[in-house]
Amino acid sequence: MHETDQSTHPRQAVASSETAREINREILLHAIHLHQPVSRADLARLSGLQPSTVSVIIGQLIDEGWVLPGTLGHLPRGRRPTFVTLNDQHVTLAIDLRPGKANLAVVDINGKILGRETIAHEIQTGSKEEASAAIARIAQAARSLMGAYGDRVFQGLGASVSGRVDQKTHRLLFSPNAPWNQIDLYAELQKGLDLPIQMENAANACLFSERWFGNFSDASNMIAISVSEGIGAGLLVDGRVVRGRNDMAGEFGHMPVEESGPVCGCGNVGCWETFASNRAGIRYYRELVPESTLTSFQELLDLALAGDIHALRSIDRMMTWLARGLTMLTAGLAPEVIIIVGECTALWPRICPLLESQLIAKSFTPQTPRVVAAMDGDVARLRGAAALVFYKVLFQQADFAPRHVRGGERTSPKDAAVAG
């Protein structure tokens, strides 16, 4: 028995049995997130659930502290509806671990970054002691940042890392560009911060960010490409995160694209990331300007934004190689959306047409995926780290929340014409 009108919701199957109670709860949480502030009556319409079921679950969510009753709506007659929202007192500590630095943030349930800090680290020898000391410094800074938001409810720590993570053992399996292979990164973070931890590859984390905080909650086939010191890919196929054997799926950055190319950090030659990563962009600039003392991609980006022709040509070359890899991924995976994550998106008006033109030129079908920049560029990795935690504590059924929520225009409190 389903609590839904099959004539108006032919593809929905919202169950009413006790075993499906959690699914209904997740559907409503997702609907609140997408449409807040929203009335109970609108939630019933959006989800297909009976109003009585919606009222019971919303009451439970309010009692648990996840949802807050908000403003009263205005109607021509009848009882005024109460609009509900997610409780933004719930926050996470988010850490984006990069080679050379760690970005830290406190992020609330709606994706707002309340506080942020960057901690530089330089690991010369790659020894276990040196890596452990770096994590200890990062943890100390994180504790100080958390202390500034002691009135908030911390749900855990989300860690975005450059590498692949075994989701069962929490071990970092593969991280050629980051210095954490000598330690148990998960255990070191837990020791320093004493919080529940969700740790994930940066590109996968960005998928969670876009699905929870972004504009693509209904996309079932999506690729997130993280462009940083290396190239990482997060894959969403038919609504599921693709993990592969030992959680290693997505390392397209180590796909050989040129037999005589540079040596990669993985030990192979001519990998995609040796041509399309931030490091490649720096190398291209040094080839054009041998006397340059440039050491970071941010410096290269600043020069490009200021109109430096050599910097612009270096980034154009980097993007041409990025596009070459994207055409292969598009042919094999048929995504609806490709999301580019990274500092390079600061030049989006320049690089987007380049990427799109290459995809169109190489496509063997009339349709090509939409290519978009992640929200706020590199901040997406921090929001992704936060989204990992919120998905874990809010949704138990799968990688992503159920999609039994109808689309359409969001109803604003003042314009609503239904009682909650």
Side-chain angles (χ1 to χ4, degrees), residues 28 40-41 43-44 49-63 79 419-420:
L28 289 177
R40 290 168 174 82
L43 287 171
L49 288 165
Q50 293 290 342
S52 58
T53 301
V54 171
S55 291
V56 169
I57 295 174
I58 294 301
Q60 292 171 344
L61 291 171
I62 290 173
D63 290 342
R79 183 163 59 91

PDB file of all heavy atoms in Angstrom, residues 28 40-41 43-44 49-63 79 419-420:
ATOM      1  N   LEU A  28      11.535  13.653   3.154  1.00  0.00           N
ATOM      2  CA  LEU A  28      11.105  14.950   3.669  1.00  0.00           C
ATOM      3  C   LEU A  28      12.296  15.843   4.009  1.00  0.00           C
ATOM      4  O   LEU A  28      12.261  17.054   3.761  1.00  0.00           O
ATOM      5  CB  LEU A  28      10.206  14.757   4.890  1.00  0.00           C
ATOM      6  CG  LEU A  28       8.816  14.196   4.581  1.00  0.00           C
ATOM      7  CD1 LEU A  28       8.021  13.968   5.851  1.00  0.00           C
ATOM      8  CD2 LEU A  28       8.062  15.138   3.645  1.00  0.00           C
ATOM      9  N   ARG A  40       4.070  22.358   5.639  1.00  0.00           N
ATOM     10  CA  ARG A  40       3.789  20.923   5.664  1.00  0.00           C
ATOM     11  C   ARG A  40       2.936  20.505   4.471  1.00  0.00           C
ATOM     12  O   ARG A  40       3.139  19.423   3.894  1.00  0.00           O
ATOM     13  CB  ARG A  40       3.089  20.547   6.977  1.00  0.00           C
ATOM     14  CG  ARG A  40       3.990  20.633   8.211  1.00  0.00           C
ATOM     15  CD  ARG A  40       3.144  20.534   9.481  1.00  0.00           C
ATOM     16  NE  ARG A  40       3.957  20.469  10.681  1.00  0.00           N
ATOM     17  CZ  ARG A  40       4.494  21.531  11.290  1.00  0.00           C
ATOM     18  NH1 ARG A  40       4.309  22.751  10.765  1.00  0.00           N
ATOM     19  NH2 ARG A  40       5.200  21.401  12.389  1.00  0.00           N
ATOM     20  N   ALA A  41       1.968  21.362   4.106  1.00  0.00           N
ATOM     21  CA  ALA A  41       1.112  21.025   2.966  1.00  0.00           C
ATOM     22  C   ALA A  41       1.917  20.971   1.673  1.00  0.00           C
ATOM     23  O   ALA A  41       1.703  20.099   0.828  1.00  0.00           O
ATOM     24  CB  ALA A  41      -0.018  22.043   2.853  1.00  0.00           C
ATOM     25  N   LEU A  43       5.050  20.233   1.511  1.00  0.00           N
ATOM     26  CA  LEU A  43       5.877  19.027   1.610  1.00  0.00           C
ATOM     27  C   LEU A  43       5.079  17.793   1.207  1.00  0.00           C
ATOM     28  O   LEU A  43       5.606  16.884   0.553  1.00  0.00           O
ATOM     29  CB  LEU A  43       6.418  18.867   3.032  1.00  0.00           C
ATOM     30  CG  LEU A  43       7.523  19.842   3.437  1.00  0.00           C
ATOM     31  CD1 LEU A  43       7.820  19.720   4.934  1.00  0.00           C
ATOM     32  CD2 LEU A  43       8.793  19.569   2.633  1.00  0.00           C
ATOM     33  N   ALA A  44       3.811  17.751   1.586  1.00  0.00           N
ATOM     34  CA  ALA A  44       2.957  16.632   1.178  1.00  0.00           C
ATOM     35  C   ALA A  44       2.808  16.610  -0.346  1.00  0.00           C
ATOM     36  O   ALA A  44       2.874  15.550  -0.983  1.00  0.00           O
ATOM     37  CB  ALA A  44       1.597  16.740   1.851  1.00  0.00           C
ATOM     38  N   LEU A  49       3.483  12.145  -0.041  1.00  0.00           N
ATOM     39  CA  LEU A  49       3.052  11.560   1.224  1.00  0.00           C
ATOM     40  C   LEU A  49       1.751  12.192   1.707  1.00  0.00           C
ATOM     41  O   LEU A  49       1.435  13.343   1.364  1.00  0.00           O
ATOM     42  CB  LEU A  49       4.130  11.764   2.290  1.00  0.00           C
ATOM     43  CG  LEU A  49       5.403  10.935   2.145  1.00  0.00           C
ATOM     44  CD1 LEU A  49       6.506  11.501   3.028  1.00  0.00           C
ATOM     45  CD2 LEU A  49       5.138   9.484   2.490  1.00  0.00           C
ATOM     46  N   GLN A  50       0.997  11.455   2.517  1.00  0.00           N
ATOM     47  CA  GLN A  50      -0.218  11.968   3.116  1.00  0.00           C
ATOM     48  C   GLN A  50       0.121  13.086   4.102  1.00  0.00           C
ATOM     49  O   GLN A  50       1.134  13.018   4.803  1.00  0.00           O
ATOM     50  CB  GLN A  50      -0.972  10.859   3.838  1.00  0.00           C
ATOM     51  CG  GLN A  50      -1.548   9.782   2.940  1.00  0.00           C
ATOM     52  CD  GLN A  50      -2.716  10.289   2.097  1.00  0.00           C
ATOM     53  OE1 GLN A  50      -3.301  11.325   2.411  1.00  0.00           O
ATOM     54  NE2 GLN A  50      -3.026   9.567   1.031  1.00  0.00           N
ATOM     55  N   PRO A  51      -0.704  14.145   4.181  1.00  0.00           N
ATOM     56  CA  PRO A  51      -0.441  15.233   5.127  1.00  0.00           C
ATOM     57  C   PRO A  51      -0.257  14.764   6.569  1.00  0.00           C
ATOM     58  O   PRO A  51       0.566  15.310   7.310  1.00  0.00           O
ATOM     59  CB  PRO A  51      -1.688  16.119   4.991  1.00  0.00           C
ATOM     60  CG  PRO A  51      -2.148  15.880   3.577  1.00  0.00           C
ATOM     61  CD  PRO A  51      -1.867  14.417   3.317  1.00  0.00           C
ATOM     62  N   SER A  52      -1.024  13.751   6.978  1.00  0.00           N
ATOM     63  CA  SER A  52      -0.889  13.256   8.351  1.00  0.00           C
ATOM     64  C   SER A  52       0.485  12.645   8.584  1.00  0.00           C
ATOM     65  O   SER A  52       1.102  12.827   9.651  1.00  0.00           O
ATOM     66  CB  SER A  52      -1.978  12.224   8.649  1.00  0.00           C
ATOM     67  OG  SER A  52      -1.900  11.138   7.721  1.00  0.00           O
ATOM     68  N   THR A  53       1.001  11.909   7.587  1.00  0.00           N
ATOM     69  CA  THR A  53       2.339  11.321   7.694  1.00  0.00           C
ATOM     70  C   THR A  53       3.391  12.412   7.762  1.00  0.00           C
ATOM     71  O   THR A  53       4.336  12.345   8.556  1.00  0.00           O
ATOM     72  CB  THR A  53       2.618  10.401   6.491  1.00  0.00           C
ATOM     73  OG1 THR A  53       1.634   9.368   6.455  1.00  0.00           O
ATOM     74  CG2 THR A  53       4.006   9.786   6.573  1.00  0.00           C
ATOM     75  N   VAL A  54       3.238  13.437   6.922  1.00  0.00           N
ATOM     76  CA  VAL A  54       4.176  14.557   6.928  1.00  0.00           C
ATOM     77  C   VAL A  54       4.198  15.225   8.300  1.00  0.00           C
ATOM     78  O   VAL A  54       5.265  15.507   8.856  1.00  0.00           O
ATOM     79  CB  VAL A  54       3.809  15.576   5.830  1.00  0.00           C
ATOM     80  CG1 VAL A  54       4.651  16.848   5.967  1.00  0.00           C
ATOM     81  CG2 VAL A  54       3.996  14.964   4.446  1.00  0.00           C
ATOM     82  N   SER A  55       3.043  15.474   8.873  1.00  0.00           N
ATOM     83  CA  SER A  55       2.967  16.152  10.174  1.00  0.00           C
ATOM     84  C   SER A  55       3.670  15.354  11.262  1.00  0.00           C
ATOM     85  O   SER A  55       4.384  15.915  12.101  1.00  0.00           O
ATOM     86  CB  SER A  55       1.504  16.402  10.557  1.00  0.00           C
ATOM     87  OG  SER A  55       0.929  17.365   9.707  1.00  0.00           O
ATOM     88  N   VAL A  56       3.459  14.033  11.254  1.00  0.00           N
ATOM     89  CA  VAL A  56       4.100  13.188  12.272  1.00  0.00           C
ATOM     90  C   VAL A  56       5.624  13.240  12.133  1.00  0.00           C
ATOM     91  O   VAL A  56       6.346  13.434  13.116  1.00  0.00           O
ATOM     92  CB  VAL A  56       3.605  11.732  12.154  1.00  0.00           C
ATOM     93  CG1 VAL A  56       4.457  10.800  13.022  1.00  0.00           C
ATOM     94  CG2 VAL A  56       2.140  11.643  12.578  1.00  0.00           C
ATOM     95  N   ILE A  57       6.137  13.084  10.912  1.00  0.00           N
ATOM     96  CA  ILE A  57       7.590  13.060  10.706  1.00  0.00           C
ATOM     97  C   ILE A  57       8.201  14.426  10.989  1.00  0.00           C
ATOM     98  O   ILE A  57       9.269  14.516  11.607  1.00  0.00           O
ATOM     99  CB  ILE A  57       7.924  12.592   9.274  1.00  0.00           C
ATOM    100  CG1 ILE A  57       7.475  11.140   9.083  1.00  0.00           C
ATOM    101  CG2 ILE A  57       9.421  12.722   9.000  1.00  0.00           C
ATOM    102  CD1 ILE A  57       7.637  10.623   7.662  1.00  0.00           C
ATOM    103  N   ILE A  58       7.541  15.504  10.565  1.00  0.00           N
ATOM    104  CA  ILE A  58       8.063  16.841  10.844  1.00  0.00           C
ATOM    105  C   ILE A  58       8.106  17.086  12.352  1.00  0.00           C
ATOM    106  O   ILE A  58       9.064  17.670  12.878  1.00  0.00           O
ATOM    107  CB  ILE A  58       7.213  17.923  10.146  1.00  0.00           C
ATOM    108  CG1 ILE A  58       7.349  17.803   8.639  1.00  0.00           C
ATOM    109  CG2 ILE A  58       7.629  19.323  10.608  1.00  0.00           C
ATOM    110  CD1 ILE A  58       8.762  17.949   8.118  1.00  0.00           C
ATOM    111  N   GLY A  59       7.093  16.612  13.055  1.00  0.00           N
ATOM    112  CA  GLY A  59       7.111  16.732  14.518  1.00  0.00           C
ATOM    113  C   GLY A  59       8.300  16.017  15.129  1.00  0.00           C
ATOM    114  O   GLY A  59       8.954  16.539  16.056  1.00  0.00           O
ATOM    115  N   GLN A  60       8.612  14.831  14.616  1.00  0.00           N
ATOM    116  CA  GLN A  60       9.774  14.092  15.110  1.00  0.00           C
ATOM    117  C   GLN A  60      11.070  14.825  14.795  1.00  0.00           C
ATOM    118  O   GLN A  60      11.968  14.907  15.642  1.00  0.00           O
ATOM    119  CB  GLN A  60       9.795  12.696  14.477  1.00  0.00           C
ATOM    120  CG  GLN A  60       8.652  11.789  14.933  1.00  0.00           C
ATOM    121  CD  GLN A  60       8.566  10.504  14.135  1.00  0.00           C
ATOM    122  OE1 GLN A  60       9.164  10.380  13.050  1.00  0.00           O
ATOM    123  NE2 GLN A  60       7.805   9.540  14.636  1.00  0.00           N
ATOM    124  N   LEU A  61      11.180  15.382  13.588  1.00  0.00           N
ATOM    125  CA  LEU A  61      12.396  16.104  13.199  1.00  0.00           C
ATOM    126  C   LEU A  61      12.580  17.368  14.028  1.00  0.00           C
ATOM    127  O   LEU A  61      13.715  17.747  14.362  1.00  0.00           O
ATOM    128  CB  LEU A  61      12.357  16.442  11.707  1.00  0.00           C
ATOM    129  CG  LEU A  61      12.476  15.261  10.749  1.00  0.00           C
ATOM    130  CD1 LEU A  61      12.198  15.689   9.316  1.00  0.00           C
ATOM    131  CD2 LEU A  61      13.859  14.616  10.850  1.00  0.00           C
ATOM    132  N   ILE A  62      11.471  18.006  14.384  1.00  0.00           N
ATOM    133  CA  ILE A  62      11.558  19.181  15.270  1.00  0.00           C
ATOM    134  C   ILE A  62      12.015  18.750  16.662  1.00  0.00           C
ATOM    135  O   ILE A  62      12.884  19.387  17.277  1.00  0.00           O
ATOM    136  CB  ILE A  62      10.199  19.912  15.320  1.00  0.00           C
ATOM    137  CG1 ILE A  62       9.921  20.588  13.970  1.00  0.00           C
ATOM    138  CG2 ILE A  62      10.192  20.946  16.453  1.00  0.00           C
ATOM    139  CD1 ILE A  62       8.528  21.194  13.862  1.00  0.00           C
ATOM    140  N   ASP A  63      11.461  17.648  17.153  1.00  0.00           N
ATOM    141  CA  ASP A  63      11.865  17.136  18.470  1.00  0.00           C
ATOM    142  C   ASP A  63      13.344  16.756  18.486  1.00  0.00           C
ATOM    143  O   ASP A  63      14.033  16.950  19.495  1.00  0.00           O
ATOM    144  CB  ASP A  63      11.017  15.921  18.861  1.00  0.00           C
ATOM    145  CG  ASP A  63       9.570  16.294  19.167  1.00  0.00           C
ATOM    146  OD1 ASP A  63       9.309  17.494  19.410  1.00  0.00           O
ATOM    147  OD2 ASP A  63       8.704  15.391  19.139  1.00  0.00           O
ATOM    148  N   ARG A  79      -6.492  28.502   8.437  1.00  0.00           N
ATOM    149  CA  ARG A  79      -5.360  28.495   9.359  1.00  0.00           C
ATOM    150  C   ARG A  79      -4.080  28.872   8.642  1.00  0.00           C
ATOM    151  O   ARG A  79      -3.797  28.405   7.543  1.00  0.00           O
ATOM    152  CB  ARG A  79      -5.223  27.093   9.974  1.00  0.00           C
ATOM    153  CG  ARG A  79      -4.127  26.975  11.017  1.00  0.00           C
ATOM    154  CD  ARG A  79      -4.342  25.710  11.836  1.00  0.00           C
ATOM    155  NE  ARG A  79      -4.341  24.531  10.995  1.00  0.00           N
ATOM    156  CZ  ARG A  79      -3.257  23.815  10.702  1.00  0.00           C
ATOM    157  NH1 ARG A  79      -2.081  24.194  11.185  1.00  0.00           N
ATOM    158  NH2 ARG A  79      -3.331  22.746   9.942  1.00  0.00           N
ATOM    159  N   ALA A 419      -2.572  25.500   3.224  1.00  0.00           N
ATOM    160  CA  ALA A 419      -2.370  25.494   4.674  1.00  0.00           C
ATOM    161  C   ALA A 419      -1.407  24.392   5.050  1.00  0.00           C
ATOM    162  O   ALA A 419      -1.442  23.315   4.476  1.00  0.00           O
ATOM    163  CB  ALA A 419      -3.695  25.286   5.383  1.00  0.00           C
ATOM    164  N   GLY A 420      -0.521  24.671   6.045  1.00  0.00           N
ATOM    165  CA  GLY A 420       0.421  23.660   6.479  1.00  0.00           C
ATOM    166  C   GLY A 420      -0.102  22.866   7.617  1.00  0.00           C
ATOM    167  O   GLY A 420      -1.054  23.232   8.288  1.00  0.00           O
TER     168      GLY A 420
END
